[in-house]
């Protein structure tokens, strides 16, 4: 049997304890058996292992090979530059991972530092980490619960468990056994849980679990999982493998073709190595890192803090957002939304709301207690009826405290020359004590209660009883023949910006699922208000109902449901995993400790920055600094923008590299000199590829980016026309270059001038390629729409640098170049004009194909 199913006597007996607590001797034995009451983190990787892991990906290995090839070719400067790129990327990855996960440390901070414990019949204060199962602890309002415990004595006890369970209303506690074995944590009302807060009353409880065996400890254990690869990381790994195979095949083909033609083996080996260097996009890792960093910086300006760089792009692939209700969709603050008083009794109802509560004011003026009662006091304060003014009108004489059996609370007051008993409580319990005349209206009021409850309101009934003289001792027996006074409906209201954000998500093809620890009726009502749930949609599924479904059945139904209620942390993780198994890409938002495991397991975890617990923030990939749900929409737009810009860079760099390969391969095949030297190739790959590539990453988003469907997580980087465009653009660019070299050969131009001309032509042609592929709309149509000044700065800088390579003597020696005559510069300009016109035709065709695919 679970602890909540057992009687107090059974619990004490099983734990070998008693109402006087444990003996000093048994404490030592229990501490040795169960360990300290702390949360233990699994062993972290050493800094060295984290650093070494940065060198294990395919792209880094390819770059390392390129560095080695540069040294073999006698170009040590090229090799050193590539090594610097490798080390720079490794360092950025190391810093990111080394600072990553501190979730368990945050959980530790939630734990109580001290605990009041009863041992050998004596009450004493001890460090909370020394508590053991069987200890009897005493708690009062404001205390943090130091370990999981079974209640044995209570007085008006309520606890705030919102951080653990998602339940927005303080839980009223009982001491009786609860027979249901599979009941949710939030319904185990005779239990206390480590890390929660006592909001009202006092209690004695016996510790049942400590450390990692507590509910919060199990959450901590769920956080110890490996990080998931983002879609971009998966695409890049796949792309790197594909590129490695292509490079090897091309190099092998060139080498053996040359041998067949009778070329010297060493010459063909060097030619094959040059091709390998030309094919490798050395700037790709740096450009992607810079793109993600810039995206993260832009998101900070929009109140979204990215904790892990790859998460910036990940947002573009989100197909589902699973969101917690409390504090995420709602304000996590109760408000009075409806109030209905009997005729001419409005003022009495307001006075009852101001007087009938257990709120406590601390020395610093802050009020602590039940959030429902605080909401009613705020409501009356705003209407000029404070507790002080209410007490002047109705001086207090005593209180009959709330208890979970009666589910009522009463307060006695002087009312001129009479006494008046003000009563509030749960509707079903209040109608039991009304006068006979009032009971005739019972069904009418209960129907109103049901209507309000279906709207997500928590309803309280109020009543009163006038007495000619003092009743003497205040006992629950006084609660009879009560006149109905009125009813109050309260709600944790939705955030103002949420509905519009949800509409934008839907238009962007993103589905919303609400997951909460609240009751199913409340969850359905809030989901309907927020337009998450349609009128004809299925009712909320509870955690208990979910437990009856096996993995396959849940997977089949997971995309048909929008609301889940009374869900445990483990069940939240199960929902996310089922969506992922169904091929969906899932974001999870939340703010509580109970959200941390699902934030960690989701493809991207999003925590609230203001109301969120430290544990949730540390488990998340992104933190909303303003707690606004619509900030997620901005982040998704930025993620889609970054992904499209990375695709533009890949199109740019690979089409240019394809041209390099074809030029290096094609010219010797028709009997001309090798047009590009290894130094030229590296310059093109790092500078001419890199600077415009970085500028392309800040291209504005396409106007309709949030009207498109999410990027499929499994989409290849070459999808949607990228592959054919790389080939066509590469062939066209290479044809221009080979044609120009042939022209120069026919004119009797020397080899060095040929190489300088083709080197310059290819560099400038690549810059034209960057200008052309900024958008699928032709350049003339998009010219006035927006201007990416960084791209123009990069182009201007590269043109100046290229001129320096041709005309500055010491650079001529390093790059083996020579200056071009005015006649050759004119020829260069003519070739570039033809090249740009051809690129615009390719761009026009690509735009037409893209539009046709959308309309299908």
């Amino acid at each position: 049997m679970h602890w909540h199913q057992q009687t107090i006597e059974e619990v004490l007996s099983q734990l070998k304890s008693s109402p006087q607590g444990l003996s000093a001797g048994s404490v030592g034995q229990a501490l040795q058996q169960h360990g300290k009451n702390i949360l233990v983190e699994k062993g972290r990787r050493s800094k060295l292992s984290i650093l070494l892991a940065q060198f294990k990906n395919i792209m880094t290995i390819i770059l390392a090979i390129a560095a080695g090839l540069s040294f073999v070719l006698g170009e040590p400067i090229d090799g050193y530059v590539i090594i610097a790129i490798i080390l720079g990327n490794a360092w950025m990855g190391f810093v990111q991972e080394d600072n990553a996960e501190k979730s368990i440390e945050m959980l530790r901070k939630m734990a109580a530092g001290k605990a009041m414990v009863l041992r050998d019949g004596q009450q004493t204060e001890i460090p909370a980490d020394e508590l053991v199962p069987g200890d009897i602890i005493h708690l009062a309002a404001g205390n943090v619960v130091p370990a999981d415990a079974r209640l044995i004595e209570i007085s008006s006890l309520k606890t705030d468990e919102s951080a653990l369970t998602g339940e927005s209303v303080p839980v009223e506690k009982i001491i009786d056994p609860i027979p249901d074995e599979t009941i949710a944590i939030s319904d185990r009302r005779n239990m206390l849980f480590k890390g929660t807060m006592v909001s009202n009353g006092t209690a004695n409880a016996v510790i049942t679990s400590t450390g990692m065996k507590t509910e919060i400890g199990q959450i901590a254990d769920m956080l110890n999982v490996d990080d998931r690869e983002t879609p971009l990381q998966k695409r890049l790994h796949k792309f790197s493998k594909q590129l490695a195979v292509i490079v090897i095949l091309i190099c092998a083909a060139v080498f053996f073709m040359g041998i067949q033609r009778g070329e010297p083996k060493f010459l063909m080996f060097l030619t094959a190595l040059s091709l390998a260097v030309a094919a490798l996009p050395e700037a790709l890792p740096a450009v992607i890192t810079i793109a993600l960093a810039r995206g993260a910086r832009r998101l900070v300006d929009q109140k979204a803090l990215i904790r892990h760089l790859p998460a910036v792009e990940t947002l573009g692939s989100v197909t589902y957002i699973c969101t917690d209700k409390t504090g995420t969709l709602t304000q996590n603050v109760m408000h009075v939304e409806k109030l209905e008083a009997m005729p001419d009794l409005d003022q009495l109802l307001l006075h009852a709301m101001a007087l009938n509560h257990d709120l406590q004011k601390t020395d610093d003026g802050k009020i602590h207690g039940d959030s429902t009662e605080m909401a009613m006091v705020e409501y009356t304060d705003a209407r000029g009826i404070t507790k002080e003014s209410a007490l002047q009108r109705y001086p207090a004489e005593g209180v009959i405290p709330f208890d979970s059996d009666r589910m009522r609370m009463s307060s006695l007051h002087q009312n001129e020359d009479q006494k008046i008993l003000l009563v509030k409580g749960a509707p079903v319990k209040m109608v039991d004590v009304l006068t006979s005349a009032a009971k005739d209206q019972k069904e009418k009021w209960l129907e109103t209660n049901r209507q309000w409850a279906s709207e997500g309101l928590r309803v309280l009934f109020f009543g009163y009883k006038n007495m000619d003289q003092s009743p003497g001792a205040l006992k629950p027996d006084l609660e009879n023949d009560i006149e109905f006074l009125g009813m109050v409906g309260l709600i944790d209201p939705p955030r103002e910006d949420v509905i519009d954000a949800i509409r934008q998500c839907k238009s962007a093809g993103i589905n919303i699922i609400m997951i909460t620890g609240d009751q199913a009726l409340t969850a359905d009502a809030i989901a309907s208000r927020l337009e998450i749930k349609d009128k004809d949609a299925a009712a909320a599924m509870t955690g208990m109902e979910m437990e009856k479904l096996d993995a396959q059945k849940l997977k089949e139904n997971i995309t048909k449901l929008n609301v889940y209620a009374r869900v445990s942390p483990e069940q939240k993780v199960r929902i996310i995993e089922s969506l992922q198994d169904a091929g969906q890409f899932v974001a999870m938002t939340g703010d509580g400790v109970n959200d941390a495991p699902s934030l960690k397991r989701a493809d991207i975890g999003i925590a609230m920055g203001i109301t969120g617990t430290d544990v949730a923030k540390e488990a998340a990939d992104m933190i909303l600094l303003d707690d606004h749900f619509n900030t997620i929409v901005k982040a998704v737009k930025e993620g889609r923008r970054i992904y499209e810009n990375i695709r533009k860079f890949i199109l740019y760099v690979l089409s240019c590299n394809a041209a390099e390969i074809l030029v290096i391969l094609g010219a010797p095949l028709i009997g001309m000199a090798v047009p590009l030297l290894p130094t030229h190739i590296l310059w093109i790959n790092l500078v001419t590829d890199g600077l415009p590539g970085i500028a392309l990453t800040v291209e504005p988003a396409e106007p309709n980016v949030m009207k498109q469907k999410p990027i499929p997580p499994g989409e290849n980087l070459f999808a949607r026309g990228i592959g054919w465009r790389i080939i066509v653009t590469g062939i066209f660019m290479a044809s221009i270059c080979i044609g120009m070299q042939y022209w120069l050969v026919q004119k009797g131009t020397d080899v060095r001038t040929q190489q300088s001309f083709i080197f310059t032509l290819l560099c400038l042609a690549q810059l034209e390629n960057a200008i052309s592929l900024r958008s699928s709309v032709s350049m003339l149509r998009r010219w006035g729409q927006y201007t990416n000044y960084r791209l123009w700065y990069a182009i201007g800088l590269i043109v100046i640098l290229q001129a320096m390579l041709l005309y500055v003597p010491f650079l001529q020696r390093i790059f083996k170049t020579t200056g071009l005559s005015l006649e050759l510069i004119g020829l260069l300009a003519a070739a570039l004009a033809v090249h740009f016109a051809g690129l615009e035709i390719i761009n026009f065709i690509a735009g037409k194909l893209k539009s046709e695919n959308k309309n299908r």
Side-chain angles (χ1 to χ4, degrees):
M1 290 176 68
H2 296 284
W3 298 115
H4 66 269
Q5 296 177 273
Q6 301 180 34
T7 64
I8 295 171
E9 293 75 17
E10 288 172 336
V11 172
L12 291 173
S13 174
Q14 189 169 336
L15 293 169
K16 299 178 181 177
S17 185
S18 72
Q20 287 72 46
L22 296 172
S23 64
S26 61
V27 168
Q29 184 178 352
L31 195 59
Q32 187 175 6
Q33 179 184 349
H34 299 283
K36 286 204 165 190
N37 180 33
I38 58 174
L39 301 180
V40 180
E41 186 177 6
K42 290 183 179 177
R44 288 176 177 262
R45 291 184 297 167
S46 68
K47 291 183 182 292
L48 178 61
S49 65
I50 293 174
L51 180 60
L52 293 176
Q54 308 307 313
F55 299 96
K56 293 180 180 179
N57 64 76
I58 296 293
M59 183 58 72
T60 301
I61 294 170
I62 292 174
L63 289 177
I65 293 170
L69 297 180
S70 299
F71 287 115
V72 171
L73 292 169
E75 302 291 345
I77 294 176
D78 305 346
Y80 290 131
V81 170
I82 297 175
I83 289 172
I85 292 172
I86 293 172
L87 294 177
N89 280 295
W91 178 253
M92 284 188 282
F94 166 74
V95 171
Q96 180 183 318
E97 286 193 35
D98 188 48
N99 293 331
E101 299 307 331
K102 299 174 184 175
S103 305
I104 311 305
E105 294 174 21
M106 296 300 107
L107 282 168
R108 285 196 188 116
K109 289 180 182 178
M110 286 187 61
K114 299 283 186 178
M116 193 65 69
V117 64
L118 191 68
R119 287 180 176 172
D120 288 323
Q122 300 294 316
Q123 198 170 73
T124 182
E125 190 177 60
I126 65 169
D129 61 6
E130 294 180 7
L131 288 171
V132 296
D135 267 327
I136 305 294
I137 55 171
H138 177 75
L139 296 164
N143 288 159
V144 176
V145 179
D148 288 4
R150 171 69 162 85
L151 288 163
I152 55 179
E153 290 181 33
I154 59 172
S155 175
S156 303
L157 183 67
K158 296 180 185 179
T159 59
D160 179 358
E161 298 178 355
S162 58
L164 179 65
T165 66
E167 177 67 68
S168 55
V169 178
V171 180
E172 298 161 353
K173 293 296 182 178
I174 61 175
I175 60 174
D176 298 329
I178 301 172
D180 191 343
E181 181 180 356
T182 59
I183 197 168
I185 294 172
S186 50
D187 291 323
R188 297 176 191 174
R189 294 171 53 212
N190 56 11
M191 297 290 296
L192 296 176
F193 303 104
K194 182 179 176 71
T196 60
M197 178 84 69
V198 177
S199 59
N200 189 78
T202 60
N204 287 336
V206 56
I207 301 294
T208 55
S209 304
T210 58
M212 296 299 287
K213 293 181 180 178
T214 60
E215 293 296 333
I216 204 171
Q218 292 175 45
I219 290 175
D221 194 50
M222 291 167 67
L223 290 172
N224 286 310
V225 295
D226 294 332
D227 292 328
R228 295 171 60 85
E229 274 193 329
T230 69
L232 181 61
Q233 289 170 327
K234 291 176 182 176
R235 292 179 185 119
L236 286 175
H237 289 168
K238 186 176 181 179
F239 165 72
S240 300
K241 292 175 183 176
Q242 291 171 335
L243 185 62
V245 171
I246 292 169
V247 169
I248 291 169
L249 290 176
I250 290 174
C251 292
V254 169
F255 179 78
F256 288 111
M257 282 170 59
I259 298 299
Q260 288 293 323
R261 291 173 55 229
E263 299 287 349
K265 292 183 179 180
F266 185 68
L267 175 62
M268 292 315 302
F269 177 68
L270 292 181
T271 304
L273 292 183
S274 297
L275 281 173
V277 174
L280 296 172
E282 288 90 344
L284 179 60
V287 167
I288 289 176
T289 301
I290 292 169
L292 295 175
R294 280 184 169 171
R297 199 157 54 239
R298 286 192 295 269
L299 284 174
V300 168
D301 294 337
Q302 298 182 60
K303 305 300 181 184
L305 176 65
I306 299 294
R307 294 189 64 248
H308 304 126
L309 272 187
V312 180
E313 178 275 335
T314 302
L315 287 156
S317 294
V318 168
T319 59
Y320 269 83
I321 297 176
C322 295
T323 175
D324 180 49
K325 177 185 75 69
T326 307
T328 306
L329 300 177
T330 63
Q331 299 173 19
N332 199 19
V333 178
M334 296 296 287
H335 289 275
V336 174
E337 180 159 304
K338 288 189 177 182
L339 180 147
E340 186 175 308
M342 295 297 288
D344 302 323
L345 293 178
D346 335 37
Q347 289 299 305
L348 181 58
L349 177 58
L350 291 174
H351 280 81
M353 292 165 63
L355 292 168
N356 192 294
H357 59 76
D358 281 330
L359 300 179
Q360 303 294 323
K361 185 177 286 188
T362 58
D363 294 337
D364 58 2
K366 292 183 179 179
I367 297 176
H368 292 281
D370 183 272
S371 61
T372 301
E373 293 182 338
M374 291 179 70
M376 290 190 289
V377 168
E378 287 173 3
Y379 184 86
T380 57
D381 282 351
R383 284 151 184 78
I385 301 178
T386 64
K387 185 173 184 179
E388 290 73 20
S389 66
L391 285 172
Q392 289 178 358
R393 173 68 181 83
Y394 298 103
E397 295 201 356
V399 172
I400 305 174
F402 174 91
D403 71 50
S404 54
D405 292 326
R406 291 168 32 250
M407 299 183 74
R408 293 185 297 270
M409 174 184 176
S410 298
S411 58
L412 184 66
H413 303 268
Q414 183 73 36
N415 181 19
E416 297 178 350
D417 58 349
Q418 287 186 311
K419 309 293 180 183
I420 186 170
L421 186 71
L422 301 175
V423 189
K424 80 159 188 272
V428 292
K429 294 291 187 178
M430 284 292 292
V431 294
D432 291 342
V433 295
L434 296 178
T435 63
S436 299
K439 283 183 179 179
D440 292 339
Q441 301 294 315
K442 167 182 170 182
E443 281 308 315
K444 171 189 170 185
W445 294 325
L446 287 178
E447 179 56 34
T448 304
N449 166 53
R450 285 189 287 271
Q451 176 60 39
W452 287 13
S454 70
E455 298 171 13
L457 301 182
R458 186 187 187 202
V459 184
L460 292 174
F461 280 7
F462 281 80
Y464 71 99
K465 178 180 181 180
N466 286 315
M467 292 175 282
D468 294 330
Q469 57 186 12
S470 175
L474 295 181
K475 296 181 180 179
D477 295 345
L478 282 174
E479 295 171 345
N480 60 70
D481 291 328
I482 303 297
E483 297 288 349
F484 187 71
L485 177 55
M487 55 200 297
V488 178
L490 304 99
I491 194 171
D492 177 10
R495 293 178 176 274
E496 294 178 1
D497 62 324
V498 166
I499 294 178
D500 183 58
I502 288 171
R503 288 171 181 166
Q504 290 185 59
C505 285
K506 288 183 176 180
S507 71
I510 301 171
N511 298 287
I512 308 294
I513 287 181
M514 189 176 84
I515 305 174
T516 179
D518 277 340
Q519 298 286 350
L521 189 64
T522 304
D524 273 332
I526 294 292
S528 297
R529 282 190 179 213
L530 293 171
E531 299 182 14
I532 291 174
K533 179 186 173 185
D534 298 328
K535 290 181 179 178
D536 55 350
M541 177 179 282
T542 65
M544 290 181 66
E545 290 170 338
M546 190 193 306
E547 285 301 311
K548 298 174 184 177
L549 301 179
D550 59 27
Q552 183 59 36
K553 197 69 176 175
L554 182 59
K555 180 179 174 181
E556 291 171 2
N557 288 277
I558 196 71
T559 57
K560 300 174 185 176
L561 297 166
N562 294 101
V563 187
Y564 294 86
R566 307 304 272 178
V567 175
S568 69
E570 294 87 352
Q571 290 164 342
K572 288 186 180 184
V573 172
R574 190 179 172 205
I575 291 169
I576 288 172
E577 289 177 339
S578 294
L579 283 168
Q580 290 169 336
D581 290 342
Q584 303 300 326
F585 198 78
V586 186
M588 170 71 191
T589 74
D591 61 349
V593 176
N594 62 316
D595 298 317
S598 48
L599 289 173
K600 181 84 172 178
R601 187 66 182 83
D603 295 291
I604 177 165
I606 305 170
M608 301 295 117
I610 299 173
T611 59
T613 61
D614 288 338
V615 184
K617 293 174 189 176
E618 288 299 327
D621 301 293
M622 183 174 86
I623 299 171
L624 302 183
L625 300 178
D626 57 2
D627 280 15
H628 288 176
F629 192 84
N630 65 355
T631 303
I632 300 173
V633 179
K634 298 175 186 176
V636 168
K637 182 178 180 180
E638 185 64 34
R640 293 185 177 188
R641 169 193 179 184
I642 287 173
Y643 177 64
E644 286 305 316
N645 287 344
I646 288 174
R647 276 167 50 89
K648 288 174 185 176
F649 171 73
I650 288 172
L651 170 56
Y652 168 70
V653 73
L654 291 188
S655 59
C656 294
N657 285 12
E660 291 174 51
I661 293 170
L662 293 173
V663 167
I664 295 170
L665 182 59
L669 284 176
I670 59 176
M672 296 188 294
V674 175
L676 294 172
L677 300 174
T679 311
H680 301 162
I681 294 168
L682 195 67
W683 174 267
I684 292 172
N685 284 14
L686 293 180
V687 179
T688 312
D689 286 356
L691 294 180
I694 292 170
L696 283 173
T697 62
V698 295
E699 281 290 318
E702 299 283 346
N704 63 344
V705 69
M706 289 304 287
K707 300 293 183 182
Q708 300 172 7
K709 292 181 179 180
I711 302 158
E715 179 180 277
N716 193 294
L717 282 171
F718 299 110
R720 289 183 278 151
I722 290 283
W724 76 261
R725 197 167 172 185
I726 288 171
I727 295 170
V728 171
T729 304
I731 291 173
F732 177 67
M733 196 182 301
S735 300
I736 296 283
C737 292
I738 292 173
M740 286 298 98
Q741 186 177 2
Y742 183 78
W743 179 283
L744 293 175
V745 170
Q746 298 305 308
K747 291 290 186 179
T749 309
D750 64 272
V751 172
R752 190 160 188 171
T753 302
Q754 290 178 40
Q755 291 173 335
S756 299
F757 184 93
I758 299 303
F759 175 34
T760 304
L761 174 59
L762 199 52
C763 280
L764 299 182
Q766 289 194 9
L767 299 182
E768 289 184 336
N769 192 22
I771 294 170
S772 181
L773 59 77
R774 287 174 61 197
S775 172
S776 56
V777 180
S778 68
M779 182 179 174
L780 293 177
R781 287 180 58 193
R782 69 176 180 269
W783 186 268
Q785 294 177 4
Y786 53 80
T787 302
N788 183 350
Y789 293 105
R790 290 182 180 85
L791 181 60
W792 297 111
Y793 293 152
I795 289 171
L797 177 61
I798 291 171
V799 170
I800 293 170
L801 292 174
Q802 190 67 28
M804 291 174 64
L805 296 185
L806 294 177
Y807 297 104
V808 175
F810 85 91
L811 291 175
Q812 287 178 334
R813 290 193 297 271
I814 294 174
F815 286 89
K816 301 179 180 64
T817 58
T818 186
L820 302 179
S821 65
L822 286 175
E823 181 185 356
L824 290 179
I825 291 174
L827 183 62
L828 181 68
L832 288 171
V834 172
H835 176 259
F836 189 75
L839 289 179
E840 282 296 280
I841 292 172
I842 295 171
N843 195 35
F844 176 79
I845 295 170
K848 283 289 185 183
L849 292 174
K850 186 176 181 181
S851 298
E852 289 175 6
N853 288 335
K854 280 184 182 178
N855 294 329
R856 286 176 184 172

